[in-house]
C-alpha cells in the first residue's frame, strides 16, 4: 500500500491559501514576505521530489501549477512523475501536454484504489479542499508541514472543521529554524 503524504506551507493559525503569490487572496505570497529565506528550512521539499512516486492534486491546484511547474528547474523531478488530478469537471482536453502522464480521478474511492497500487509515496501539494476531504476519509498517512511564524486570519485552511472522532498523529521529525519556521512531520495513526 502506498503512503499518501500531504505537504503544505502553513501559517501558525492553519491557513494554506496562496503561499506563493496566487491572485485573489489578501495576504498572497506570505511565504516570502518578511520571512528570511534559509535553504536548510526547505530541504524537505527537495527530499519530497526524490522520494515521491506520484503527485496528487485537486483541480484548482492543478490549474494553478500546470502552466508554471513544468518549466521550473526547482520542480524538475515532478515533470516525469505520474500525476493524478481529483476532479469531477476536468476533461482530458483540459490537461497540459508538457508535464508528463496525468490521470483524472473522479472520486475519493479512486484515490483509495490508487493507494492500493504498487509504487512510491503519493505527494499532495496545495489542494486545500482535497486535503480536507482526504483527511475526513482517513486517506492521509503523513503530513509534511512547514509552519510559518505568521497569523493570517481568514483564508483556506488545511484541516477540516468537520465534527469527527479524534485523529491521532505521531511526530516523527521536527526542526526549528533561525527564521522562525518549523518543520513538523507527522504520521497519522490509523
Amino acid at each position: 500500500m502506498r503512503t499518501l503524504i500531504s505537504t503544505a506551507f502553513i501559517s501558525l493559525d492553519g491557513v494554506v491559501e496562496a503561499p506563493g503569490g496566487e491572485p485573489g487572496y489578501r495576504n498572497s505570497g506570505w511565504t516570502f514576505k518578511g520571512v528570511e529565506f534559509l535553504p536548510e528550512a526547505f530541504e524537505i521539499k527537495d527530499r519530497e521530489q526524490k522520494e515521491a512516486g506520484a503527485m496528487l492534486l485537486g483541480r484548482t491546484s492543478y490549474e494553478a501549477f500546470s502552466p508554471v511547474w513544468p518549466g521550473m528547474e526547482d520542480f524538475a523531478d515532478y515533470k516525469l512523475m505520474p500525476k493524478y488530478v481529483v476532479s469531477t469537471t476536468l476533461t482530458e482536453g483540459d490537461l497540459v501536454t508538457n508535464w508528463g502522464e496525468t490521470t483524472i480521478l473522479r472520486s475519493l474511492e479512486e484515490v483509495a484504489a490508487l493507494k492500493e497500487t504498487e509504487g512510491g509515496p503519493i505527494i499532495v501539494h496545495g489542494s486545500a479542499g482535497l486535503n480536507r476531504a482526504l483527511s475526513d476519509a482517513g486517506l492521509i498517512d503523513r503530513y509534511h508541514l512547514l509552519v510559518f511564524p505568521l497569523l493570517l486570519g481568514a483564508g483556506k485552511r488545511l484541516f477540516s472543521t468537520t465534527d469527527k472522532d479524534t485523529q491521532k498523529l505521531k511526530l516523527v521529525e521536527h526542526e526549528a529554524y533561525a527564521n522562525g519556521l518549523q518543520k513538523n512531520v507527522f504520521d497519522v495513526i490509523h
Side-chain angles (χ1 to χ4, degrees), residues 57-68 85 87 89-90 94:
L57 299 165
R59 179 194 50 82
T60 302
S61 291
Y62 176 80
E63 289 176 339
F65 298 162
S66 65
V68 181
V85 183
S87 173
T89 59
L90 276 182
D94 296 323

Side-chain angles (χ1 to χ4, degrees), residues 95-109:
L95 301 176
V96 298
T97 59
N98 63 336
W99 204 20
E101 174 192 343
T102 304
T103 303
I104 299 172
L105 303 178
R106 299 292 182 197
S107 67
L108 293 181
E109 289 78 18

Side-chain angles (χ1 to χ4, degrees), residues 24-46:
Y25 176 60
R26 176 183 180 173
N27 293 313
S28 185
W30 49 270
T31 58
F32 54 85
K33 290 180 180 173
V35 178
E36 177 190 3
F37 177 77
L38 294 177
E40 60 270 24
F42 296 89
E43 171 276 333
I44 194 167
K45 300 322 248 169
D46 290 331

Side-chain angles (χ1 to χ4, degrees), residues 171-190:
L171 184 65
V172 296
E173 182 181 342
H174 62 92
E175 192 162 348
Y177 302 96
N179 61 359
L181 265 70
Q182 297 176 23
K183 172 180 63 181
N184 293 299
V185 177
F186 294 98
D187 280 345
V188 176
I189 299 172
H190 293 290

Side-chain angles (χ1 to χ4, degrees), residues 88-150:
T88 58
T89 59
L90 276 182
T91 66
E92 294 293 324
D94 296 323
L95 301 176
V96 298
T97 59
N98 63 336
W99 204 20
E101 174 192 343
T102 304
T103 303
I104 299 172
L105 303 178
R106 299 292 182 197
S107 67
L108 293 181
E109 289 78 18
E110 290 186 43
V111 175
L114 174 63
K115 284 185 63 176
E116 296 294 330
T117 64
E118 294 293 319
I122 302 164
I123 194 95
V124 183
H125 282 281
S127 310
L130 176 60
N131 265 288
R132 290 188 299 271
L134 292 167
S135 177
D136 287 349
L139 294 173
I140 295 178
D141 302 300
R142 176 173 274 199
Y143 289 96
H144 289 182
L145 305 177
L146 275 180
V147 183
F148 283 71
L150 304 167

